[in-house]
Amino acid sequence: MNEKTHGGWLKVVGLGPGAEALITPEVSVALAEATDVVGYVPYVERVAPRPGLVRHGSDNREEIRRAEAALQLAAEGHRVVVVSSGDPGVFAMAAALFEALEAGEAEWRALDIQVLPGISAMLAASARLGAPLGHDFCCINLSDNLKPRALIERRLRLAAEADFAMAFYNPRSRARPEGFERALEVLREACGPERLIMFARAVATPEESLRVTTLGEATAEMADMRTLVLVGSSQTRRIPRSTVGVPWVYTPRSVS
Amino acid sequence: MNEKTHGGWLKVVGLGPGAEALITPEVSVALAEATDVVGYVPYVERVAPRPGLVRHGSDNREEIRRAEAALQLAAEGHRVVVVSSGDPGVFAMAAALFEALEAGEAEWRALDIQVLPGISAMLAASARLGAPLGHDFCCINLSDNLKPRALIERRLRLAAEADFAMAFYNPRSRARPEGFERALEVLREACGPERLIMFARAVATPEESLRVTTLGEATAEMADMRTLVLVGSSQTRRIPRSTVGVPWVYTPRSVS
């Protein structure tokens, strides 16, 4: 009997947006105890190699097969960490894991599974900019890989009508760059050209860049695949800061 | 000249929902370097006393005065940490800090201010339950201290129409318990009685409790001031788990 047969577990963890200092101690302990790390190649590469640890990097859009492989390893007694960037529950591996669990082997349901939260890109970007999500907000994945574009536009319009601040993941895909162009049009129409929009690229990495502008001035090229986009509510305000290039942006707590 | 005159700074930090293992190293370093910790009494008490550290606990609903005091201390050269539970940018001290900064002394704008993100209650609760926020979602503060109740109801209806999963902060205030009762009615009307609702109380503390039910079965008494409430989208699903009392709950990544 393989010595790994007993004591297997699976933890779906968030590595945060980039900096080591944003990885929770809970996640660091899980990584130190793991026999296997599973995930999208660039996230797996954020975990340093060490003896006794096997790193299984796979391609993007392989989420379900990756989740199945992770569940199978845990069922065989491995201590498996599935890594996501940011938080695993926000447009990341946790949902894929439960999709695979529900559709998969009955015995997988008896596994010791945990989800360990992480600092999401949305919270990290918001912190760098001030407090743009300081009042009610919504969070939308702009990718049309997994949902119809009409639904995205509908949600944008309803979010504007509700006067939510908004956080957008995956604004631009290489395959369909016109999607974000269209999202900006819908937002301009619904919120007006003066509404604040923020582009937070590669937050908490050495390549971090921030831009604060208005919907009227924004162009689709301001976002790429590593950009988190935030749009303010009607109440969101700017304060010039003397120290950095971009102003502080915050959404007040109260609405009169 | 006071030796604190130079080198003052202010960091608005998130302590996460409760467990030490969810505090980021970045926040731990800030707390270790601080001369002053400022915040709501129970959060300030989460920071261990030590020589050289002054803990300034204040009452709830004192956010602006607390923020002004923190800015003033930093202007005098103190190294000030303003603590929030969860993430400081989600219904917490970051927005209050920028409100005070905008309205306050001109010299405060030259201060070294940073916001350090934390694990929000929403992300921690979602992780414990599985991945209920695995698709588009919104986050609403149900307290009517700072906004009209009509606006809350309007946002609930629009969020239901957009078919967002939803996270609710401050579901019940002692002063107005009927508010959450009314929110449940609006949601039942908009989403139907079968829609999943989750109550995550005191997540990541020794008093943690989780409940998964439907809007039809939910009552206002299931939430108190320490409860984070999540409502699924129309796609949100349950998977029974053999190990714990509550099922896994997740929202699939795709919509057909």
Side-chain angles (χ1 to χ4, degrees), chain A:
Chain A
M1 189 158 93
N2 187 315
E3 67 169 42
K4 283 178 176 168
T5 304
H6 296 293
W9 48 248
L10 192 158
K11 302 187 187 193
V12 190
V13 313
L15 296 176
E20 288 281 324
L22 293 178
I23 301 179
T24 67
E26 183 179 68
V27 167
S28 295
V29 168
L31 289 170
E33 293 175 351
T35 55
D36 299 79
V37 173
V38 174
Y40 178 41
V41 172
Y43 306 151
V44 165
E45 283 173 356
R46 286 177 56 192
V47 180
R50 61 169 165 79
L53 179 72
V54 182
R55 299 188 303 170
H56 309 257
S58 48
D59 203 8
N60 212 349
R61 302 206 190 177
E62 294 281 317
E63 287 90 351
I64 292 296
R65 249 174 296 170
R66 181 192 299 150
E68 289 166 349
L71 286 158
Q72 192 50 46
L73 283 168
E76 289 165 8
H78 295 240
R79 299 188 297 276
V80 183
V81 172
V82 176
V83 288
S84 286
S85 178
D87 179 80
V90 177
F91 312 127
M93 278 303 295
L97 193 281
F98 291 107
E99 287 173 43
L101 181 71
E102 188 174 30
E105 312 286 336
E107 61 166 31
W108 289 350
R109 298 194 187 191
L111 288 172
D112 176 6
I113 297 173
Q114 284 182 55
V115 181
L116 308 185
I119 301 293
S120 61
M122 163 180 76
L123 297 186
S126 178
R128 282 289 197 276
L129 288 156
L133 305 178
H135 194 77
D136 302 338
F137 65 92
C138 68
C139 181
I140 300 177
N141 187 343
L142 290 186
S143 166
D144 60 1
N145 288 337
L146 295 164
K147 67 188 164 207
R149 181 135 294 275
L151 179 61
I152 298 174
E153 292 192 12
R154 186 175 148 71
R155 285 189 176 148
L156 291 175
R157 287 186 203 284
L158 288 164
E161 202 180 331
D163 202 17
F164 284 129
M166 308 177 206
F168 301 128
Y169 281 72
N170 304 314
R172 288 193 90 187
S173 72
R174 227 167 308 200
R176 277 155 296 197
E178 69 281 7
F180 185 53
E181 185 76 69
R182 180 71 191 132
L184 286 177
E185 275 169 31
V186 171
L187 289 166
R188 237 176 256 127
E189 218 177 275
C191 306
E194 299 306 317
R195 182 66 58 89
L196 293 177
I197 180 169
M198 295 142 266
F199 298 88
R201 184 172 184 279
V203 165
T205 76
E207 296 86 46
E208 174 175 307
S209 69
L210 303 174
R211 184 198 295 256
V212 177
T213 183
T214 61
L215 285 176
E217 301 286 333
T219 62
E221 291 66 37
M222 292 177 182
D224 67 9
M225 294 173 72
R226 298 184 69 192
T227 309
L228 192 287
V229 179
L230 295 165
V231 170
S233 77
S234 67
Q235 307 293 304
T236 304
R237 305 168 60 78
R238 273 184 283 203
I239 311 174
R241 50 179 154 176
S242 41
T243 44
V244 198
V246 297
W248 291 114
V249 181
Y250 81 98
T251 306
R253 299 159 306 141
S254 55
V255 179
S256 49

Side-chain angles (χ1 to χ4, degrees), chain B residues 39-57:
Chain B
Y40 178 40
V41 171
Y43 306 150
V44 164
E45 283 171 357
R46 287 178 56 193
V47 180
R50 61 171 165 78
L53 179 71
V54 181
R55 300 188 302 169
H56 309 258

Side-chain angles (χ1 to χ4, degrees), chain B residues 49-241:
Chain B
R50 61 171 165 78
L53 179 71
V54 181
R55 300 188 302 169
H56 309 258
S58 49
D59 204 7
N60 213 347
R61 303 205 191 181
E62 293 281 317
E63 286 90 351
I64 292 296
R65 248 173 299 169
R66 182 191 298 149
E68 289 166 350
L71 286 159
Q72 191 52 47
L73 282 168
E76 289 165 8
H78 294 240
R79 299 188 296 275
V80 183
V81 172
V82 176
V83 288
S84 286
S85 178
D87 179 82
V90 178
F91 310 129
M93 279 302 295
L97 192 281
F98 291 107
E99 287 173 43
L101 181 70
E102 189 174 27
E105 312 286 336
E107 61 166 29
W108 288 350
R109 299 195 185 189
L111 288 172
D112 176 5
I113 297 173
Q114 284 181 55
V115 181
L116 307 186
I119 300 293
S120 60
M122 163 180 77
L123 297 186
S126 179
R128 282 289 197 274
L129 288 156
L133 304 179
H135 193 78
D136 301 339
F137 66 93
C138 69
C139 182
I140 299 177
N141 188 343
L142 290 185
S143 164
D144 60 0
N145 288 338
L146 296 165
K147 68 187 163 208
R149 182 137 292 278
L151 179 61
I152 299 174
E153 293 192 12
R154 185 176 148 71
R155 285 189 177 149
L156 292 176
R157 287 187 202 283
L158 289 165
E161 201 180 330
D163 201 17
F164 284 129
M166 307 177 205
F168 301 129
Y169 281 71
N170 303 313
R172 288 193 89 187
S173 72
R174 228 168 308 203
R176 277 154 296 195
E178 69 281 7
F180 185 52
E181 186 75 72
R182 181 68 193 133
L184 286 176
E185 277 169 32
V186 171
L187 289 166
R188 238 177 254 124
E189 218 176 272
C191 307
E194 300 305 319
R195 183 65 58 91
L196 293 177
I197 181 169
M198 294 142 267
F199 297 88
R201 183 170 184 281
V203 165
T205 76
E207 298 86 46
E208 173 174 308
S209 69
L210 303 174
R211 185 199 294 258
V212 176
T213 184
T214 60
L215 285 176
E217 302 286 332
T219 62
E221 290 66 37
M222 293 177 183
D224 67 8
M225 292 172 72
R226 296 184 70 192
T227 308
L228 192 286
V229 179
L230 295 166
V231 170
S233 77
S234 66
Q235 308 292 306
T236 304
R237 305 168 60 77
R238 273 185 282 204
I239 312 173
R241 49 180 155 175

